[in-house]
Amino acid sequence: MSTPFPFTAVVGQDDLRLALLLNAVSPAVGGVLVRGEKGTAKSTAVRALSALLPEVDVVSGCRFSCDPDSPDPGCPDGPHEPGAFASRPARMVELPVGASEDRLVGALDIERALAEGVKAFEPGLLADAHRGILYVDEVNLLHDHLVDLLLDAAAMGASYVEREGVSVRHAARFLLVGTMNPEEGELRPQLLDRFGLTVEVAASREPDQRVEVVRRRLAYDDDPAGFAARWADEEAAVRARIVAARELLPSVRLGDGALRQIAATCAAFEVDGMRADIVMARTATALAAWAGRTEVLAEDVRQAALLALPHRRRRNPFDAPGLDEDKLDETLEEFGGSDEQDGNGNGDGDGDDDPDPGPGGGPGRQPEPDDAPEGDGDAAARPEAGESGEPQPSGGAGEQSPARAAEPFRTKVLSVPGLGEGAAGRRSRARTEHGRTIGARRPRGALTKLHLAATVQAAAPHQRARGRSGPGLVVRRDDLRQASREGREGNLVLFVVDASGSMAARQRMGAVKGAVLSLLLDAYQRRDKVGLVTFRGSAADVALPPTSSVDAAAVRLESLPTGGRTPLAAGLLKAHEVLRVERLRDPARRALVVVVTDGRATGGPEPVALAGRAARLFAAEGTASVVVDCESGPVRLGLAGQLAGELGGTAVTLDELRADSIASLVKDVQGSRRAA
């Protein structure tokens, strides 16, 4: 077994280390979500934590790590006789992003269950992680069906495995630790709320600290065992402090004054539910125990808020997580003086004497966005000057400063027609491992979802030839049938946005950005990948390659400048190239192209004809498409509708994108594809 990097040798990242240690002191805090850029010691710190945890006593021979003092009465390996136990180090179990459901929860031997009526169960990772750490690297990339299983286990403290009437249950209480890079996409809100604490991490910009990081890493790589030995005393000291804090924890007093501060803070930041209050209370208590105190102070409440609330406060999906620390201090000060009146002695609670940074060095402060200069109304309404095709400096005749997006609105689903086999999601119909059963087939590889009726039907004609004499059904491997199921998949939604001078009227471009932002919000909720291609001047650009980070697309859209000619053909050809490359990377993921334009094409020879030929490439390949018609004014040329016809898709106005109007659009998209 390789020697892990010592926890105490991690340079900086104070909030990350504190959050992990608080969970070691009090596992009831509920785990840690570590958010940050790559290369910031997220995984290193988490893996190092397991070496600091005290050993656990387990029932000898139990595959489910039952506590000998209170064994699980429903343990599949039980009932356990008292007295036989062993001690072992606490486990850290890693859940790979691509793990199967059976690897996570365990698997039943279906063939033995049917033929012999026995529960032959192989435990999964949830059983291994019981009373230890379950670590998920890149947790935001975890498949939805695995997320659902994690949510169930985290909520109930147990894992259930069901296979056609045969069920197994075992305890599964673990410390959930996840790491993620927000650039690769956000977490579902349900899973986000299951993490007790969250920490933002970033690489230090201080040269001396960066030098020390490199020095220690090189020393560890050269001699892991020798490096760990040099830090053994520090590791032992932290381990002893964890044990002492655990022993002190039951004696820590959480007074009414501190509870009022916790409740007032959660109410001030409008967090949903009561889990935040409970997590803050447990975190503040653990902070006091870690500091060697038996009384929770205002500084503990403040630090607990910075760790427990950023990912729980009510916000829009594209808002950065964090807390307004000025507002936090005001709330703590307002509700911090009543302890003296009721005798709890928790101080004045103003939090001003302990300016500890929040997670990641204080991500809570959110600067107000600068308002884009609007200019005078007449200038904004005039058509864009400078149709030379060359980009002009911001504020010049050929380019306007970015318009602010209008308020997003709720949309209904735009789906890709047909039946796909892509990654699990919530947009288009697909053959999946989860969903409603639509048929049966012979299993390819391991059997995961048994179709009982089809299996019995396949085995029934052969019972006499197989010498059946009793009531049991004689089942062989060839009789087993896999259930074919239909669910939903996530798609690649590629936005092709016209940013030319014809779209540059600020009111119109603001509405266009609001519409695209609404569709991005829909893509976020449906677990799609998104990409953004823009065209203006004389060329098209890939503003955002296909990614799971819808937040990144929203940021690029907000800063999108406008002006110049309308190279529609270039935009379509660039989008076609993006899709070609993406098909090589992910052949199973189907695409939906959303072209946002008024349909005009200028610049170069025969721009309209070139755009038509580029559009027909999508139609020939059967790519689903929608044209959002942004044409405005009393005189309409209908060019966007013509473009939709060339694409083999459908056109819809900005108003029709709203939820009340979009249902008919889905039918039109599907109908046009069937007709093609």
Side-chain angles (χ1 to χ4, degrees), residues 10-14 16-17 35-42 200-214 360-361:
V10 175
V11 179
Q13 310 297 7
D14 295 338
L16 169 58
R17 292 189 294 167
R35 299 165 46 97
E37 58 196 28
K38 52 187 177 292
T40 50
K42 300 190 298 293
E200 295 278 343
V201 296
S204 172
R205 300 297 184 257
E206 179 63 39
D208 291 342
Q209 195 171 70
R210 295 175 75 96
V211 167
E212 187 61 23
V213 170
V214 175

PDB file of all heavy atoms in Angstrom, residues 10-14 16-17 35-42 200-214 360-361:
ATOM      1  N   VAL A  10       0.211  19.515   4.141  1.00  0.00           N
ATOM      2  CA  VAL A  10      -0.491  20.298   3.121  1.00  0.00           C
ATOM      3  C   VAL A  10      -0.264  21.778   3.414  1.00  0.00           C
ATOM      4  O   VAL A  10      -0.481  22.244   4.537  1.00  0.00           O
ATOM      5  CB  VAL A  10      -1.998  19.971   3.118  1.00  0.00           C
ATOM      6  CG1 VAL A  10      -2.749  20.884   2.146  1.00  0.00           C
ATOM      7  CG2 VAL A  10      -2.218  18.512   2.734  1.00  0.00           C
ATOM      8  N   VAL A  11       0.171  22.517   2.413  1.00  0.00           N
ATOM      9  CA  VAL A  11       0.493  23.935   2.580  1.00  0.00           C
ATOM     10  C   VAL A  11      -0.769  24.773   2.392  1.00  0.00           C
ATOM     11  O   VAL A  11      -1.491  24.610   1.394  1.00  0.00           O
ATOM     12  CB  VAL A  11       1.571  24.373   1.574  1.00  0.00           C
ATOM     13  CG1 VAL A  11       1.887  25.860   1.734  1.00  0.00           C
ATOM     14  CG2 VAL A  11       2.828  23.544   1.762  1.00  0.00           C
ATOM     15  N   GLY A  12      -1.044  25.675   3.324  1.00  0.00           N
ATOM     16  CA  GLY A  12      -2.209  26.545   3.196  1.00  0.00           C
ATOM     17  C   GLY A  12      -3.510  25.755   3.290  1.00  0.00           C
ATOM     18  O   GLY A  12      -3.624  24.782   4.035  1.00  0.00           O
ATOM     19  N   GLN A  13      -4.532  26.211   2.526  1.00  0.00           N
ATOM     20  CA  GLN A  13      -5.848  25.558   2.494  1.00  0.00           C
ATOM     21  C   GLN A  13      -6.398  25.363   3.904  1.00  0.00           C
ATOM     22  O   GLN A  13      -6.880  24.285   4.271  1.00  0.00           O
ATOM     23  CB  GLN A  13      -5.797  24.208   1.746  1.00  0.00           C
ATOM     24  CG  GLN A  13      -5.147  24.254   0.384  1.00  0.00           C
ATOM     25  CD  GLN A  13      -5.895  25.146  -0.593  1.00  0.00           C
ATOM     26  OE1 GLN A  13      -6.833  25.845  -0.224  1.00  0.00           O
ATOM     27  NE2 GLN A  13      -5.471  25.133  -1.853  1.00  0.00           N
ATOM     28  N   ASP A  14      -6.346  26.415   4.706  1.00  0.00           N
ATOM     29  CA  ASP A  14      -6.763  26.319   6.105  1.00  0.00           C
ATOM     30  C   ASP A  14      -8.228  25.938   6.255  1.00  0.00           C
ATOM     31  O   ASP A  14      -8.587  25.135   7.120  1.00  0.00           O
ATOM     32  CB  ASP A  14      -6.493  27.647   6.824  1.00  0.00           C
ATOM     33  CG  ASP A  14      -5.011  27.976   6.913  1.00  0.00           C
ATOM     34  OD1 ASP A  14      -4.199  27.040   6.816  1.00  0.00           O
ATOM     35  OD2 ASP A  14      -4.669  29.159   7.058  1.00  0.00           O
ATOM     36  N   LEU A  16     -10.125  24.264   4.141  1.00  0.00           N
ATOM     37  CA  LEU A  16     -10.302  22.873   3.739  1.00  0.00           C
ATOM     38  C   LEU A  16      -9.895  21.936   4.865  1.00  0.00           C
ATOM     39  O   LEU A  16     -10.638  21.009   5.221  1.00  0.00           O
ATOM     40  CB  LEU A  16      -9.479  22.600   2.478  1.00  0.00           C
ATOM     41  CG  LEU A  16      -9.322  21.135   2.060  1.00  0.00           C
ATOM     42  CD1 LEU A  16     -10.680  20.502   1.827  1.00  0.00           C
ATOM     43  CD2 LEU A  16      -8.451  21.022   0.818  1.00  0.00           C
ATOM     44  N   ARG A  17      -8.743  22.175   5.448  1.00  0.00           N
ATOM     45  CA  ARG A  17      -8.282  21.297   6.523  1.00  0.00           C
ATOM     46  C   ARG A  17      -9.198  21.395   7.746  1.00  0.00           C
ATOM     47  O   ARG A  17      -9.494  20.379   8.395  1.00  0.00           O
ATOM     48  CB  ARG A  17      -6.841  21.644   6.886  1.00  0.00           C
ATOM     49  CG  ARG A  17      -5.841  21.293   5.781  1.00  0.00           C
ATOM     50  CD  ARG A  17      -4.405  21.430   6.241  1.00  0.00           C
ATOM     51  NE  ARG A  17      -4.066  22.811   6.533  1.00  0.00           N
ATOM     52  CZ  ARG A  17      -2.971  23.180   7.190  1.00  0.00           C
ATOM     53  NH1 ARG A  17      -2.142  22.270   7.655  1.00  0.00           N
ATOM     54  NH2 ARG A  17      -2.714  24.466   7.393  1.00  0.00           N
ATOM     55  N   ARG A  35     -14.936  22.573  -3.418  1.00  0.00           N
ATOM     56  CA  ARG A  35     -15.057  23.163  -4.747  1.00  0.00           C
ATOM     57  C   ARG A  35     -13.797  23.949  -5.064  1.00  0.00           C
ATOM     58  O   ARG A  35     -13.313  24.691  -4.226  1.00  0.00           O
ATOM     59  CB  ARG A  35     -16.255  24.111  -4.826  1.00  0.00           C
ATOM     60  CG  ARG A  35     -17.609  23.488  -4.577  1.00  0.00           C
ATOM     61  CD  ARG A  35     -18.667  24.557  -4.317  1.00  0.00           C
ATOM     62  NE  ARG A  35     -18.585  25.644  -5.274  1.00  0.00           N
ATOM     63  CZ  ARG A  35     -19.338  25.743  -6.382  1.00  0.00           C
ATOM     64  NH1 ARG A  35     -20.224  24.816  -6.643  1.00  0.00           N
ATOM     65  NH2 ARG A  35     -19.205  26.769  -7.199  1.00  0.00           N
ATOM     66  N   GLY A  36     -13.303  23.791  -6.275  1.00  0.00           N
ATOM     67  CA  GLY A  36     -12.147  24.596  -6.631  1.00  0.00           C
ATOM     68  C   GLY A  36     -11.494  24.147  -7.916  1.00  0.00           C
ATOM     69  O   GLY A  36     -11.832  23.107  -8.492  1.00  0.00           O
ATOM     70  N   GLU A  37     -10.553  24.956  -8.347  1.00  0.00           N
ATOM     71  CA  GLU A  37      -9.846  24.682  -9.589  1.00  0.00           C
ATOM     72  C   GLU A  37      -8.952  23.463  -9.432  1.00  0.00           C
ATOM     73  O   GLU A  37      -8.639  23.029  -8.325  1.00  0.00           O
ATOM     74  CB  GLU A  37      -9.024  25.913  -9.975  1.00  0.00           C
ATOM     75  CG  GLU A  37      -8.017  26.314  -8.897  1.00  0.00           C
ATOM     76  CD  GLU A  37      -7.470  27.716  -9.075  1.00  0.00           C
ATOM     77  OE1 GLU A  37      -8.187  28.563  -9.647  1.00  0.00           O
ATOM     78  OE2 GLU A  37      -6.333  27.963  -8.636  1.00  0.00           O
ATOM     79  N   LYS A  38      -8.533  22.906 -10.550  1.00  0.00           N
ATOM     80  CA  LYS A  38      -7.687  21.716 -10.517  1.00  0.00           C
ATOM     81  C   LYS A  38      -6.317  22.057  -9.941  1.00  0.00           C
ATOM     82  O   LYS A  38      -5.842  23.181 -10.012  1.00  0.00           O
ATOM     83  CB  LYS A  38      -7.545  21.144 -11.930  1.00  0.00           C
ATOM     84  CG  LYS A  38      -7.102  22.153 -12.977  1.00  0.00           C
ATOM     85  CD  LYS A  38      -7.156  21.561 -14.371  1.00  0.00           C
ATOM     86  CE  LYS A  38      -6.777  22.598 -15.429  1.00  0.00           C
ATOM     87  NZ  LYS A  38      -7.776  23.662 -15.557  1.00  0.00           N
ATOM     88  N   GLY A  39      -5.685  21.029  -9.342  1.00  0.00           N
ATOM     89  CA  GLY A  39      -4.349  21.207  -8.805  1.00  0.00           C
ATOM     90  C   GLY A  39      -4.275  21.997  -7.525  1.00  0.00           C
ATOM     91  O   GLY A  39      -3.295  22.710  -7.288  1.00  0.00           O
ATOM     92  N   THR A  40      -5.275  21.885  -6.646  1.00  0.00           N
ATOM     93  CA  THR A  40      -5.279  22.653  -5.395  1.00  0.00           C
ATOM     94  C   THR A  40      -5.291  21.745  -4.162  1.00  0.00           C
ATOM     95  O   THR A  40      -5.772  22.139  -3.111  1.00  0.00           O
ATOM     96  CB  THR A  40      -6.490  23.596  -5.358  1.00  0.00           C
ATOM     97  OG1 THR A  40      -7.684  22.862  -5.671  1.00  0.00           O
ATOM     98  CG2 THR A  40      -6.327  24.728  -6.355  1.00  0.00           C
ATOM     99  N   ALA A  41      -4.796  20.521  -4.312  1.00  0.00           N
ATOM    100  CA  ALA A  41      -4.635  19.572  -3.194  1.00  0.00           C
ATOM    101  C   ALA A  41      -5.964  19.104  -2.617  1.00  0.00           C
ATOM    102  O   ALA A  41      -6.012  18.650  -1.470  1.00  0.00           O
ATOM    103  CB  ALA A  41      -3.773  20.173  -2.082  1.00  0.00           C
ATOM    104  N   LYS A  42      -7.042  19.176  -3.387  1.00  0.00           N
ATOM    105  CA  LYS A  42      -8.337  18.714  -2.884  1.00  0.00           C
ATOM    106  C   LYS A  42      -8.278  17.219  -2.552  1.00  0.00           C
ATOM    107  O   LYS A  42      -8.557  16.802  -1.425  1.00  0.00           O
ATOM    108  CB  LYS A  42      -9.433  18.978  -3.929  1.00  0.00           C
ATOM    109  CG  LYS A  42      -9.619  20.433  -4.303  1.00  0.00           C
ATOM    110  CD  LYS A  42     -10.859  20.645  -5.152  1.00  0.00           C
ATOM    111  CE  LYS A  42     -10.819  19.917  -6.491  1.00  0.00           C
ATOM    112  NZ  LYS A  42      -9.790  20.450  -7.409  1.00  0.00           N
ATOM    113  N   GLU A 200     -14.473  26.513  -0.586  1.00  0.00           N
ATOM    114  CA  GLU A 200     -13.919  26.956  -1.865  1.00  0.00           C
ATOM    115  C   GLU A 200     -12.394  27.003  -1.733  1.00  0.00           C
ATOM    116  O   GLU A 200     -11.871  27.611  -0.802  1.00  0.00           O
ATOM    117  CB  GLU A 200     -14.446  28.347  -2.228  1.00  0.00           C
ATOM    118  CG  GLU A 200     -15.942  28.406  -2.482  1.00  0.00           C
ATOM    119  CD  GLU A 200     -16.308  27.976  -3.888  1.00  0.00           C
ATOM    120  OE1 GLU A 200     -15.410  27.939  -4.747  1.00  0.00           O
ATOM    121  OE2 GLU A 200     -17.502  27.690  -4.108  1.00  0.00           O
ATOM    122  N   VAL A 201     -11.694  26.351  -2.664  1.00  0.00           N
ATOM    123  CA  VAL A 201     -10.232  26.355  -2.615  1.00  0.00           C
ATOM    124  C   VAL A 201      -9.680  26.926  -3.910  1.00  0.00           C
ATOM    125  O   VAL A 201     -10.293  26.805  -4.975  1.00  0.00           O
ATOM    126  CB  VAL A 201      -9.667  24.937  -2.375  1.00  0.00           C
ATOM    127  CG1 VAL A 201     -10.088  24.410  -1.034  1.00  0.00           C
ATOM    128  CG2 VAL A 201     -10.085  23.987  -3.481  1.00  0.00           C
ATOM    129  N   ALA A 202      -8.527  27.558  -3.802  1.00  0.00           N
ATOM    130  CA  ALA A 202      -7.839  28.119  -4.968  1.00  0.00           C
ATOM    131  C   ALA A 202      -6.343  28.090  -4.691  1.00  0.00           C
ATOM    132  O   ALA A 202      -5.907  28.104  -3.532  1.00  0.00           O
ATOM    133  CB  ALA A 202      -8.304  29.555  -5.243  1.00  0.00           C
ATOM    134  N   ALA A 203      -5.577  28.019  -5.751  1.00  0.00           N
ATOM    135  CA  ALA A 203      -4.124  28.022  -5.600  1.00  0.00           C
ATOM    136  C   ALA A 203      -3.659  29.382  -5.091  1.00  0.00           C
ATOM    137  O   ALA A 203      -4.191  30.426  -5.470  1.00  0.00           O
ATOM    138  CB  ALA A 203      -3.456  27.698  -6.934  1.00  0.00           C
ATOM    139  N   SER A 204      -2.670  29.363  -4.216  1.00  0.00           N
ATOM    140  CA  SER A 204      -2.121  30.598  -3.660  1.00  0.00           C
ATOM    141  C   SER A 204      -1.438  31.416  -4.752  1.00  0.00           C
ATOM    142  O   SER A 204      -0.809  30.876  -5.661  1.00  0.00           O
ATOM    143  CB  SER A 204      -1.118  30.269  -2.553  1.00  0.00           C
ATOM    144  OG  SER A 204      -0.439  31.437  -2.126  1.00  0.00           O
ATOM    145  N   ARG A 205      -1.550  32.722  -4.660  1.00  0.00           N
ATOM    146  CA  ARG A 205      -0.838  33.611  -5.568  1.00  0.00           C
ATOM    147  C   ARG A 205       0.429  34.175  -4.910  1.00  0.00           C
ATOM    148  O   ARG A 205       1.086  35.025  -5.468  1.00  0.00           O
ATOM    149  CB  ARG A 205      -1.768  34.764  -5.992  1.00  0.00           C
ATOM    150  CG  ARG A 205      -3.034  34.311  -6.714  1.00  0.00           C
ATOM    151  CD  ARG A 205      -2.699  33.602  -8.021  1.00  0.00           C
ATOM    152  NE  ARG A 205      -3.911  33.237  -8.760  1.00  0.00           N
ATOM    153  CZ  ARG A 205      -4.399  32.006  -8.810  1.00  0.00           C
ATOM    154  NH1 ARG A 205      -3.792  31.033  -8.130  1.00  0.00           N
ATOM    155  NH2 ARG A 205      -5.486  31.756  -9.513  1.00  0.00           N
ATOM    156  N   GLU A 206       0.733  33.677  -3.725  1.00  0.00           N
ATOM    157  CA  GLU A 206       1.916  34.116  -3.003  1.00  0.00           C
ATOM    158  C   GLU A 206       3.113  33.260  -3.431  1.00  0.00           C
ATOM    159  O   GLU A 206       3.117  32.034  -3.234  1.00  0.00           O
ATOM    160  CB  GLU A 206       1.687  33.969  -1.492  1.00  0.00           C
ATOM    161  CG  GLU A 206       2.857  34.380  -0.633  1.00  0.00           C
ATOM    162  CD  GLU A 206       3.187  35.854  -0.797  1.00  0.00           C
ATOM    163  OE1 GLU A 206       2.246  36.668  -0.900  1.00  0.00           O
ATOM    164  OE2 GLU A 206       4.387  36.177  -0.829  1.00  0.00           O
ATOM    165  N   PRO A 207       4.157  33.851  -4.026  1.00  0.00           N
ATOM    166  CA  PRO A 207       5.283  33.054  -4.542  1.00  0.00           C
ATOM    167  C   PRO A 207       5.928  32.163  -3.488  1.00  0.00           C
ATOM    168  O   PRO A 207       6.262  31.004  -3.767  1.00  0.00           O
ATOM    169  CB  PRO A 207       6.256  34.120  -5.060  1.00  0.00           C
ATOM    170  CG  PRO A 207       5.397  35.292  -5.391  1.00  0.00           C
ATOM    171  CD  PRO A 207       4.304  35.288  -4.369  1.00  0.00           C
ATOM    172  N   ASP A 208       6.138  32.671  -2.268  1.00  0.00           N
ATOM    173  CA  ASP A 208       6.802  31.872  -1.239  1.00  0.00           C
ATOM    174  C   ASP A 208       5.996  30.617  -0.907  1.00  0.00           C
ATOM    175  O   ASP A 208       6.571  29.535  -0.709  1.00  0.00           O
ATOM    176  CB  ASP A 208       7.011  32.710   0.024  1.00  0.00           C
ATOM    177  CG  ASP A 208       8.053  33.809  -0.178  1.00  0.00           C
ATOM    178  OD1 ASP A 208       8.841  33.699  -1.142  1.00  0.00           O
ATOM    179  OD2 ASP A 208       8.057  34.778   0.611  1.00  0.00           O
ATOM    180  N   GLN A 209       4.693  30.765  -0.843  1.00  0.00           N
ATOM    181  CA  GLN A 209       3.859  29.612  -0.525  1.00  0.00           C
ATOM    182  C   GLN A 209       3.856  28.601  -1.673  1.00  0.00           C
ATOM    183  O   GLN A 209       3.892  27.387  -1.444  1.00  0.00           O
ATOM    184  CB  GLN A 209       2.427  30.065  -0.211  1.00  0.00           C
ATOM    185  CG  GLN A 209       1.592  28.990   0.466  1.00  0.00           C
ATOM    186  CD  GLN A 209       0.260  29.527   0.950  1.00  0.00           C
ATOM    187  OE1 GLN A 209      -0.615  29.846   0.159  1.00  0.00           O
ATOM    188  NE2 GLN A 209       0.107  29.628   2.262  1.00  0.00           N
ATOM    189  N   ARG A 210       3.844  29.079  -2.899  1.00  0.00           N
ATOM    190  CA  ARG A 210       3.891  28.178  -4.049  1.00  0.00           C
ATOM    191  C   ARG A 210       5.227  27.427  -4.093  1.00  0.00           C
ATOM    192  O   ARG A 210       5.273  26.238  -4.439  1.00  0.00           O
ATOM    193  CB  ARG A 210       3.663  28.964  -5.337  1.00  0.00           C
ATOM    194  CG  ARG A 210       2.287  29.586  -5.440  1.00  0.00           C
ATOM    195  CD  ARG A 210       2.153  30.457  -6.679  1.00  0.00           C
ATOM    196  NE  ARG A 210       2.027  29.670  -7.882  1.00  0.00           N
ATOM    197  CZ  ARG A 210       0.874  29.347  -8.475  1.00  0.00           C
ATOM    198  NH1 ARG A 210      -0.275  29.741  -7.927  1.00  0.00           N
ATOM    199  NH2 ARG A 210       0.856  28.640  -9.572  1.00  0.00           N
ATOM    200  N   VAL A 211       6.318  28.114  -3.737  1.00  0.00           N
ATOM    201  CA  VAL A 211       7.624  27.455  -3.684  1.00  0.00           C
ATOM    202  C   VAL A 211       7.609  26.322  -2.671  1.00  0.00           C
ATOM    203  O   VAL A 211       8.121  25.221  -2.914  1.00  0.00           O
ATOM    204  CB  VAL A 211       8.728  28.483  -3.347  1.00  0.00           C
ATOM    205  CG1 VAL A 211      10.029  27.782  -2.962  1.00  0.00           C
ATOM    206  CG2 VAL A 211       8.968  29.409  -4.527  1.00  0.00           C
ATOM    207  N   GLU A 212       6.995  26.572  -1.509  1.00  0.00           N
ATOM    208  CA  GLU A 212       6.947  25.545  -0.471  1.00  0.00           C
ATOM    209  C   GLU A 212       6.101  24.349  -0.906  1.00  0.00           C
ATOM    210  O   GLU A 212       6.432  23.192  -0.585  1.00  0.00           O
ATOM    211  CB  GLU A 212       6.396  26.147   0.819  1.00  0.00           C
ATOM    212  CG  GLU A 212       6.453  25.209   2.020  1.00  0.00           C
ATOM    213  CD  GLU A 212       7.867  24.792   2.385  1.00  0.00           C
ATOM    214  OE1 GLU A 212       8.823  25.514   2.030  1.00  0.00           O
ATOM    215  OE2 GLU A 212       8.018  23.730   3.025  1.00  0.00           O
ATOM    216  N   VAL A 213       5.013  24.594  -1.635  1.00  0.00           N
ATOM    217  CA  VAL A 213       4.192  23.498  -2.155  1.00  0.00           C
ATOM    218  C   VAL A 213       5.032  22.599  -3.061  1.00  0.00           C
ATOM    219  O   VAL A 213       5.029  21.365  -2.929  1.00  0.00           O
ATOM    220  CB  VAL A 213       2.976  24.054  -2.928  1.00  0.00           C
ATOM    221  CG1 VAL A 213       2.259  22.927  -3.674  1.00  0.00           C
ATOM    222  CG2 VAL A 213       2.009  24.749  -1.980  1.00  0.00           C
ATOM    223  N   VAL A 214       5.755  23.212  -3.996  1.00  0.00           N
ATOM    224  CA  VAL A 214       6.576  22.431  -4.933  1.00  0.00           C
ATOM    225  C   VAL A 214       7.675  21.683  -4.184  1.00  0.00           C
ATOM    226  O   VAL A 214       7.947  20.507  -4.444  1.00  0.00           O
ATOM    227  CB  VAL A 214       7.181  23.357  -6.010  1.00  0.00           C
ATOM    228  CG1 VAL A 214       8.128  22.576  -6.910  1.00  0.00           C
ATOM    229  CG2 VAL A 214       6.076  23.997  -6.832  1.00  0.00           C
ATOM    230  N   GLY A 360     -12.204  29.198   1.377  1.00  0.00           N
ATOM    231  CA  GLY A 360     -11.485  29.692   0.217  1.00  0.00           C
ATOM    232  C   GLY A 360     -11.023  31.112   0.373  1.00  0.00           C
ATOM    233  O   GLY A 360     -10.808  31.826  -0.594  1.00  0.00           O
ATOM    234  N   GLY A 361     -10.863  31.575   1.623  1.00  0.00           N
ATOM    235  CA  GLY A 361     -10.362  32.933   1.803  1.00  0.00           C
ATOM    236  C   GLY A 361     -11.431  33.975   1.703  1.00  0.00           C
ATOM    237  O   GLY A 361     -11.180  35.119   1.342  1.00  0.00           O
TER     238      GLY A 361
END
